[in-house]
Amino acid sequence: MSEVNRPTMNINESAENYLETILILSKRLPVVRSVDIANELGFKKPSVSIAMKNLRLKEHIRVTDAGFIYLTESGKAIAESVYEKHEFLSGWLQSIGVCEETATEDACKIEHVISQTSFQAIKEYVSRHQS
């Protein structure tokens, strides 16, 4: 998928999920560590460590000597974009009658495949047609 509007073009769904998880955890924890990500996602720590290495190599995260993980500017842009899509789509699906669990699950799937152009169009449409 060559999506020009994405903050970066070489990122997969898994990487987006990790970045979004780091963003969410950073809002509720003083620092984010690999073990926090593993616990949040239900993954084994070695899998998370490999993912963190890849995100670090792509310069989407910075890891301190103490093991604290921080989003870089590019990582934060990607994470915020995915998170915004997730929050909006989940809320919108619930507003049209989809149960919360299904809306959340579907938003998790849609947020990775919808183009920024289509997402913006949906947001504008919903904004114009809200009562």
Side-chain angles (χ1 to χ4, degrees), residues 38 66 78 84 97 106:
I78 294 164
E84 177 192 17
D106 288 348

Side-chain angles (χ1 to χ4, degrees), residues 85-99:
K85 289 175 185 176
H86 177 87
E87 289 293 294
F88 177 84
L89 292 166
S90 178
W92 177 58
L93 289 169
Q94 289 176 61
S95 77
I96 60 172
V98 178
C99 75

Side-chain angles (χ1 to χ4, degrees), residues 21-59:
T21 299
I22 294 166
L23 177 69
I24 291 166
L25 289 172
S26 70
K27 291 175 186 259
R28 59 177 205 241
L29 298 174
V31 292
V32 177
R33 301 164 300 147
S34 287
V35 67
D36 302 317
I37 298 165
N39 290 337
E40 182 75 12
L41 295 174
F43 295 163
K44 295 190 184 311
K45 195 167 178 314
S47 299
V48 173
S49 294
I50 292 168
M52 293 305 103
K53 178 183 177 190
N54 291 334
L55 290 173
R56 192 173 64 249
L57 291 173
K58 291 183 178 180
E59 300 183 348

